[in-house]
Amino acid sequence: MSTTPVLALRGVSKRFGAVQALTDVDLEVHAGEVVALVGDNGAGKSTLVKAIAGVGPADAGELLWQGVPARVGRPHDAQDLGIATVYQDLALCDNLDVVGNLFLGRELKRSGVLDEVEMERRSRELLATLSIRIPSVRIPVASLSGGQRQTVAIARSMLGEPRLVILDEPTAALGVEQTAQVLDLVERLRERGLAVVLISHNMADVKAVADQVAVLRLGRNNGVFDVATTSQEEVIAAITGATDNAVTRRRARSTEPKTEAPQ
Amino acid sequence: MTTDLSRTPGDAPDASSGPTPPATPPPATDPRLLVRSDGLAGYWSDFLRRMRSGELGSVPVVLGLAVIWVVFWLLEPSFLSAQNVSNLSVYIVGTGLIAVGIVFVLLLGEIDLSVGSVSGLAGAVFAVLAVNEGITEWLALLVALLTGALAGAVHGFFFARVGVPAFVVTLAGLLFWNGLMLQVLSSDGTVNLDKDGLVGSMTSHFFTDVAAAYGLALLAVLGYFAAQWSEHRRRVGVGVPARPLSEIAVRTGALALAAFLLAYTLNQYKGLPLALVIFLAVLVVFDFVVRRTTWGRRVFALGGNTEAARRAGINVTAVRISVFSLAGTMAAFGGLLIASRIAAADQGAGSGVLLMEAIAAAVIGGTSLFGGRGTVWSALLGMLVIGSISNGLALLGSPSHLQYMITGGVLLAAVVIDSVSRRTQRSAGRT
Ligand SMILES: Nc1ncnc2c1ncn2[C@@H]1O[C@H](COP(=O)(O)OP(=O)(O)OP(=O)(O)O)[C@@H](O)[C@H]1O
Ligand SMILES: [Mg+2]
């Protein structure tokens, strides 16, 4: 693509003690584009998300925000750039109510005092536009179901007028109806010109909403695919590393299908 | 929602088949939503729901307090005499102020074991500066409070920045500040305070004019009603659920009853104690701070989920240091009121049961040991329980070991209630 990506990562590496979680990872996300980030368990997806969001900064590598190098050392830096993140391990405070969680870290004030009324009004409005149903915006988040908590976490990321939304397995805990709603939401974000990074293990979801699929394998890039022109098998092969397999390479080269070698 | 299974969804309602309703569209709101019906019935059912799901709040302590008062009153009618109520209201202030600081530390989910020593140190610093060195009392008071703030900030630094558990840091503080107090007092041993000086009068001054107590009661009731009323108006104005007027009326009525009864009782003796005014003012201010400011919200967030707070961009270190510093300041303030009550700073100040009483007060009053749940008012409620027990037993002529055992039992009961209600909340919350 010719336009400057909203977010570009170059050579990001991150190490946890003996584990090299990320090695030289590149990623590009454009405005109005949904990039699915896929990979096996432990591939480093969440680690990459935390590096972008400033929660666990990378050891090496570069982050370009709209083409300009930016430093994201704290969660605040990412928020200031316009990056909103929904974490896999939900970052909600169980003791605060829904309103308190939605506005945590960016509370509305009225002459220096928390404006609970306005925050409550906006929360109800936001939840209504996202068709999120919860018993009350004034009960502690601890008393919501897993899926309801997830929808609150997603709604939270929509509040600050972000440019880039990162969703780390947002549908993992959701029912059929709620999953459909989240996917609709992702499409609406793209229509509004936002950039979206969607992490999911569900290939059907990825196929339904993503434009590009970036594959991570053992902490390294393992290909970026265009969803429209790539088959699901190719993506899965990249995830599992089957593309490195001599048999599959040979099969890809040969035109006529042969009987497979015993595995 | 009930679905008519005999029709397929696509069926058009048949005009000839009579008044069968058209297929009901899914309701706009979930039928399970917690919609509170209007009026007192709604308030009552909401109250029951909260009790069942473990959100007990101040209910156990208020019930316990009522039982304690009735029992002591039956055993010794002078327990509720004007003089005794007045004494009790002055007695609870010193430790109560320390407990206010403890509430904030507990909201973080941490503990501060040094507050007793810090309170003793502040009393000693004030006494030596004001009495021995002859420095203006205002200045000495300020230095004493700053000493507490600094001591707390040191604890906060080691806890939040260096990562030493708060338990250990403040245990070290307990010893260190106690030693420093002994050094400050070394040459003099005990320093007597001027009863009519700035700090001395904090507990000895009474507003003898009956208008003072009644006026304060009236101010509290009007202020409470005005705040509730304006919030109600604003909520109705923008269309979010508001407290029903009947509930506001009941709450205001209950407050008015308590406030004027207390004012009447105090006026039967020496009038309104300045110490009580100080305590109530501190409670009102910090209640506002904790519920209505960003900082208060951050303290709660840290107590609920530190990682979530960090990811939300909150400066965890700064909030932690400020909370410990506040606890130190309140400990110093409480220490000054205790010194004022006994009109002296001595070497035993800040030791003994003071620390335990301050922590117990916060917990008994309903602030959770597990962080993230509680109110500033628990310092008052808890101190009323502890103060009533020790005062009542003293009136009955019981030895102090009995008082320790009973207070210990009450603390255990409070912690059990805290733990059980937390568990109930967890199971009710399915987390
Ligand atoms: N805080 C940590 N300390 C040590 N190692 C970590 C830490 N976080 C992640 N790792 C390691 O980094 C690697 C990548 O983990 P990550 O959570 O990014 O995987 P993931 O792709 O998100 O997996 P999943 O699909 O299961 O969520 C794993 O090997 C994991 O053990
Ligand atoms: Mg993950």
Side-chain angles (χ1 to χ4, degrees), chain B residues 257-308:
Chain B
L257 190 69
F260 280 100
L261 207 61
L262 178 64
Y264 172 79
T265 313
L266 291 174
N267 277 338
Q268 298 302 302
Y269 187 57
K270 287 193 201 163
L272 179 64
L274 174 62
L276 184 62
V277 178
I278 293 174
F279 192 25
L280 291 177
V282 164
L283 288 169
V284 168
V285 167
F286 281 111
D287 181 54
F288 182 82
V289 165
V290 88
R291 289 190 303 116
R292 289 296 157 115
T293 65
T294 327
W295 183 78
R297 181 58 47 87
R298 289 177 181 179
V299 173
F300 269 95
L302 252 62
N305 185 343
T306 312
E307 182 57 21

Coordinates of all heavy atoms in Angstrom, one line a residue, chain B residues 257-308:
Chain B
L257 N -32.5 13.1 63.0 CA -32.8 12.5 64.3 C -31.5 12.3 65.1 O -31.4 12.7 66.2 CB -33.6 11.2 64.1 CG -34.1 10.5 65.3 CD1 -35.3 11.4 65.8 CD2 -34.6 9.1 65.0
A258 N -30.5 11.7 64.4 CA -29.3 11.4 65.1 C -28.6 12.7 65.5 O -28.1 12.8 66.6 CB -28.4 10.5 64.2
A259 N -28.5 13.6 64.5 CA -27.8 14.8 64.8 C -28.4 15.7 65.9 O -27.7 16.1 66.8 CB -27.7 15.7 63.5
F260 N -29.7 15.8 65.9 CA -30.3 16.7 67.0 C -30.3 15.9 68.3 O -30.2 16.6 69.4 CB -31.7 17.1 66.6 CG -31.7 18.3 65.6 CD1 -31.8 18.1 64.2 CD2 -31.4 19.5 66.1 CE1 -31.7 19.1 63.4 CE2 -31.3 20.6 65.2 CZ -31.5 20.4 63.8
L261 N -30.5 14.6 68.3 CA -30.4 13.9 69.6 C -29.0 14.1 70.2 O -28.9 14.3 71.4 CB -30.6 12.4 69.3 CG -31.2 11.6 70.4 CD1 -32.6 12.2 70.8 CD2 -31.4 10.1 70.0
L262 N -28.0 13.9 69.3 CA -26.6 14.1 69.9 C -26.4 15.5 70.4 O -25.8 15.8 71.4 CB -25.6 13.8 68.8 CG -24.1 13.9 69.1 CD1 -23.8 13.0 70.3 CD2 -23.2 13.7 67.9
A263 N -26.9 16.5 69.6 CA -26.7 17.9 70.0 C -27.4 18.2 71.3 O -26.8 18.8 72.2 CB -27.3 18.8 68.9
Y264 N -28.6 17.6 71.4 CA -29.3 17.8 72.7 C -28.6 17.2 73.9 O -28.4 17.9 74.9 CB -30.7 17.1 72.6 CG -31.5 17.1 73.9 CD1 -32.2 18.2 74.3 CD2 -31.5 16.0 74.7 CE1 -32.8 18.2 75.5 CE2 -32.2 15.9 75.9 CZ -32.9 17.1 76.3 OH -33.5 17.1 77.5
T265 N -28.1 16.0 73.7 CA -27.3 15.3 74.7 C -26.1 16.1 75.1 O -25.8 16.3 76.3 CB -26.9 13.9 74.3 OG1 -28.1 13.3 73.7 CG2 -26.4 13.1 75.5
L266 N -25.3 16.6 74.1 CA -24.1 17.3 74.4 C -24.4 18.6 75.1 O -23.6 19.0 76.0 CB -23.3 17.6 73.1 CG -22.7 16.3 72.4 CD1 -22.1 16.7 71.0 CD2 -21.7 15.7 73.3
N267 N -25.5 19.2 74.8 CA -25.8 20.5 75.4 C -26.3 20.3 76.8 O -26.3 21.3 77.6 CB -27.0 21.2 74.6 CG -26.4 22.0 73.4 OD1 -25.2 22.3 73.4 ND2 -27.2 22.2 72.5
Q268 N -26.6 19.1 77.2 CA -27.0 18.8 78.6 C -25.7 18.9 79.5 O -25.8 19.0 80.7 CB -27.6 17.4 78.8 CG -28.9 17.2 78.1 CD -29.9 18.2 78.5 OE1 -30.3 18.3 79.7 NE2 -30.4 19.0 77.5
Y269 N -24.5 18.7 78.9 CA -23.3 18.7 79.6 C -22.5 20.0 79.3 O -23.0 21.1 79.6 CB -22.5 17.4 79.3 CG -21.3 17.2 80.2 CD1 -21.3 17.2 81.6 CD2 -20.0 17.1 79.5 CE1 -20.2 17.0 82.3 CE2 -18.9 16.9 80.3 CZ -19.0 16.8 81.7 OH -17.8 16.7 82.4
K270 N -21.4 19.9 78.7 CA -20.6 21.2 78.5 C -20.8 21.8 77.2 O -20.2 22.9 76.9 CB -19.1 20.8 78.6 CG -18.6 20.5 80.0 CD -17.1 20.5 80.0 CE -16.5 19.8 81.2 NZ -15.1 19.5 80.9
G271 N -21.6 21.2 76.3 CA -21.8 21.8 75.0 C -21.1 21.0 73.9 O -20.7 19.8 74.2
L272 N -20.9 21.6 72.8 CA -20.2 20.9 71.7 C -18.7 20.9 71.8 O -18.1 22.0 71.9 CB -20.6 21.7 70.4 CG -20.1 21.2 69.1 CD1 -20.6 19.8 68.7 CD2 -20.4 22.1 67.9
P273 N -18.1 19.7 71.9 CA -16.6 19.7 72.0 C -16.0 20.0 70.7 O -16.4 19.6 69.6 CB -16.4 18.2 72.3 CG -17.7 17.5 72.5 CD -18.7 18.4 71.8
L274 N -14.9 20.9 70.8 CA -14.1 21.2 69.6 C -13.6 20.0 68.9 O -13.5 19.9 67.7 CB -13.0 22.2 70.0 CG -12.0 22.6 68.9 CD1 -12.8 23.3 67.8 CD2 -10.9 23.5 69.4
A275 N -13.1 19.0 69.8 CA -12.5 17.8 69.2 C -13.4 17.1 68.2 O -13.0 16.7 67.2 CB -12.1 16.9 70.3
L276 N -14.7 17.0 68.6 CA -15.7 16.4 67.8 C -15.9 17.1 66.5 O -16.0 16.5 65.4 CB -17.0 16.2 68.5 CG -18.1 15.5 67.8 CD1 -17.7 14.0 67.6 CD2 -19.4 15.5 68.6
V277 N -15.9 18.4 66.6 CA -16.0 19.3 65.3 C -14.9 19.0 64.4 O -15.1 18.8 63.2 CB -16.1 20.8 65.7 CG1 -16.2 21.6 64.4 CG2 -17.3 21.0 66.6
I278 N -13.6 18.9 65.0 CA -12.5 18.6 64.1 C -12.6 17.3 63.5 O -12.4 17.1 62.2 CB -11.2 18.6 65.0 CG1 -10.9 20.0 65.5 CG2 -10.0 18.1 64.2 CD1 -9.8 20.1 66.5
F279 N -13.0 16.3 64.2 CA -13.1 14.9 63.7 C -14.2 14.9 62.6 O -13.9 14.3 61.5 CB -13.5 13.9 64.8 CG -13.4 12.5 64.5 CD1 -12.5 12.0 63.5 CD2 -14.1 11.5 65.2 CE1 -12.4 10.7 63.2 CE2 -14.0 10.2 64.9 CZ -13.2 9.8 63.9
L280 N -15.3 15.4 62.8 CA -16.4 15.4 61.8 C -16.0 16.1 60.6 O -16.2 15.7 59.4 CB -17.7 16.0 62.4 CG -18.4 15.2 63.5 CD1 -19.6 15.9 64.0 CD2 -18.8 13.8 62.9
A281 N -15.3 17.3 60.7 CA -14.8 18.0 59.6 C -13.9 17.2 58.7 O -14.0 17.1 57.5 CB -14.2 19.3 60.0
V282 N -12.9 16.5 59.4 CA -12.0 15.7 58.7 C -12.7 14.6 58.0 O -12.4 14.3 56.8 CB -10.9 15.1 59.7 CG1 -10.2 13.9 59.1 CG2 -10.0 16.1 60.2
L283 N -13.7 14.0 58.6 CA -14.4 12.9 58.0 C -15.2 13.4 56.7 O -15.1 12.7 55.7 CB -15.4 12.3 59.0 CG -14.8 11.4 60.1 CD1 -15.8 11.1 61.2 CD2 -14.2 10.1 59.5
V284 N -15.8 14.5 56.9 CA -16.6 15.0 55.7 C -15.6 15.3 54.5 O -15.9 15.0 53.4 CB -17.4 16.3 56.1 CG1 -17.9 17.0 54.9 CG2 -18.5 15.9 57.0
V285 N -14.5 16.0 54.9 CA -13.6 16.4 53.8 C -13.0 15.1 53.1 O -13.0 15.0 51.9 CB -12.4 17.2 54.4 CG1 -11.3 17.3 53.4 CG2 -12.9 18.6 54.8
F286 N -12.6 14.1 53.9 CA -12.0 13.0 53.3 C -13.0 12.0 52.6 O -12.7 11.3 51.6 CB -11.1 12.2 54.3 CG -9.8 12.8 54.5 CD1 -9.5 13.4 55.7 CD2 -8.9 12.9 53.4 CE1 -8.2 14.1 55.8 CE2 -7.7 13.5 53.6 CZ -7.3 14.1 54.8
D287 N -14.2 12.1 53.1 CA -15.3 11.3 52.4 C -15.5 11.9 51.0 O -15.6 11.2 50.0 CB -16.6 11.4 53.2 CG -17.7 10.6 52.5 OD1 -17.5 9.4 52.2 OD2 -18.8 11.2 52.3
F288 N -15.5 13.2 51.0 CA -15.6 13.9 49.7 C -14.4 13.5 48.8 O -14.6 13.2 47.6 CB -15.7 15.4 49.9 CG -15.8 16.2 48.6 CD1 -17.1 16.3 48.1 CD2 -14.8 16.7 48.0 CE1 -17.3 17.0 46.9 CE2 -14.9 17.4 46.8 CZ -16.2 17.6 46.3
V289 N -13.2 13.6 49.4 CA -12.0 13.3 48.6 C -12.0 11.9 48.0 O -11.7 11.7 46.8 CB -10.7 13.5 49.5 CG1 -9.5 12.9 48.8 CG2 -10.5 15.0 49.7
V290 N -12.5 11.0 48.8 CA -12.4 9.6 48.4 C -13.4 9.3 47.3 O -13.2 8.4 46.4 CB -12.4 8.6 49.6 CG1 -13.9 8.3 50.0 CG2 -11.6 7.4 49.4
R291 N -14.6 9.9 47.4 CA -15.7 9.6 46.5 C -15.8 10.5 45.3 O -16.3 10.1 44.3 CB -17.0 9.6 47.2 CG -17.2 8.4 48.2 CD -18.6 8.3 48.8 NE -19.0 9.5 49.4 CZ -20.0 10.2 49.0 NH1 -20.7 9.9 47.9 NH2 -20.4 11.3 49.6
R292 N -15.3 11.7 45.4 CA -15.5 12.7 44.4 C -14.3 13.2 43.7 O -14.4 14.1 42.9 CB -16.3 13.8 45.0 CG -17.8 13.5 45.3 CD -18.5 13.1 44.1 NE -19.6 12.2 44.3 CZ -20.9 12.6 44.1 NH1 -21.1 13.8 43.6 NH2 -21.8 11.7 44.3
T293 N -13.1 12.7 44.0 CA -11.9 13.2 43.3 C -11.3 12.1 42.5 O -11.4 10.9 42.8 CB -10.9 13.9 44.2 OG1 -10.4 12.8 45.1 CG2 -11.5 14.9 45.1
T294 N -10.5 12.5 41.5 CA -9.8 11.5 40.7 C -8.8 10.7 41.6 O -8.7 9.5 41.4 CB -8.9 12.3 39.7 OG1 -9.6 13.5 39.3 CG2 -8.7 11.4 38.5
W295 N -8.2 11.4 42.5 CA -7.2 10.7 43.4 C -7.9 9.6 44.2 O -7.4 8.5 44.3 CB -6.6 11.8 44.4 CG -5.5 11.2 45.2 CD1 -4.3 10.8 44.9 CD2 -5.7 10.8 46.6 NE1 -3.6 10.3 45.9 CE2 -4.4 10.3 47.0 CE3 -6.7 10.9 47.5 CZ2 -4.2 9.8 48.3 CZ3 -6.5 10.4 48.8 CH2 -5.3 9.9 49.2
G296 N -9.1 9.9 44.7 CA -9.9 8.9 45.5 C -10.2 7.7 44.6 O -10.0 6.6 45.0
R297 N -10.6 8.0 43.4 CA -11.0 7.0 42.5 C -9.7 6.1 42.2 O -9.8 4.9 42.1 CB -11.5 7.6 41.2 CG -11.9 6.6 40.1 CD -13.0 5.7 40.5 NE -14.1 6.3 41.2 CZ -15.2 6.8 40.6 NH1 -15.3 6.8 39.3 NH2 -16.1 7.3 41.3
R298 N -8.6 6.7 42.1 CA -7.3 6.0 41.8 C -7.0 5.1 43.0 O -6.5 3.9 42.8 CB -6.2 6.9 41.5 CG -6.5 7.5 40.2 CD -5.5 8.5 39.7 NE -6.1 8.9 38.5 CZ -5.6 9.8 37.7 NH1 -4.5 10.5 38.0 NH2 -6.2 10.1 36.5
V299 N -7.2 5.6 44.2 CA -6.9 4.7 45.4 C -7.8 3.5 45.3 O -7.3 2.3 45.5 CB -7.2 5.5 46.7 CG1 -7.0 4.6 47.9 CG2 -6.2 6.7 46.8
F300 N -9.0 3.6 45.0 CA -9.9 2.5 44.9 C -9.5 1.5 43.8 O -9.5 0.3 44.0 CB -11.4 2.9 44.6 CG -12.2 3.1 45.9 CD1 -12.3 4.4 46.4 CD2 -12.8 2.1 46.5 CE1 -13.0 4.6 47.6 CE2 -13.6 2.2 47.6 CZ -13.7 3.5 48.2
A301 N -9.1 2.1 42.7 CA -8.7 1.3 41.5 C -7.5 0.4 41.9 O -7.4 -0.7 41.5 CB -8.4 2.2 40.3
L302 N -6.5 1.1 42.6 CA -5.3 0.3 43.0 C -5.7 -0.8 43.9 O -5.1 -1.9 43.8 CB -4.3 1.3 43.7 CG -3.1 1.6 42.9 CD1 -3.5 2.3 41.6 CD2 -2.1 2.5 43.7
G303 N -6.6 -0.6 44.8 CA -7.0 -1.6 45.7 C -7.8 -2.8 45.0 O -7.8 -3.9 45.4
G304 N -8.4 -2.4 43.9 CA -9.2 -3.5 43.2 C -8.3 -4.3 42.3 O -8.3 -5.5 42.3
N305 N -7.4 -3.6 41.5 CA -6.6 -4.4 40.5 C -5.5 -3.4 40.1 O -5.7 -2.6 39.2 CB -7.5 -4.8 39.3 CG -6.7 -5.6 38.3 OD1 -5.5 -5.6 38.3 ND2 -7.4 -6.3 37.4
T306 N -4.3 -3.6 40.7 CA -3.2 -2.7 40.5 C -2.8 -2.7 39.0 O -2.5 -1.6 38.4 CB -2.0 -3.1 41.4 OG1 -2.5 -3.3 42.7 CG2 -0.9 -2.0 41.4
E307 N -2.8 -3.9 38.4 CA -2.3 -4.0 37.0 C -3.3 -3.2 36.1 O -2.9 -2.5 35.2 CB -2.2 -5.5 36.6 CG -1.7 -5.7 35.2 CD -0.3 -5.1 34.9 OE1 0.4 -4.8 35.9 OE2 0.0 -4.8 33.7
A308 N -4.6 -3.4 36.4 CA -5.6 -2.7 35.6 C -5.4 -1.2 35.7 O -5.5 -0.4 34.7 CB -7.0 -3.1 36.0

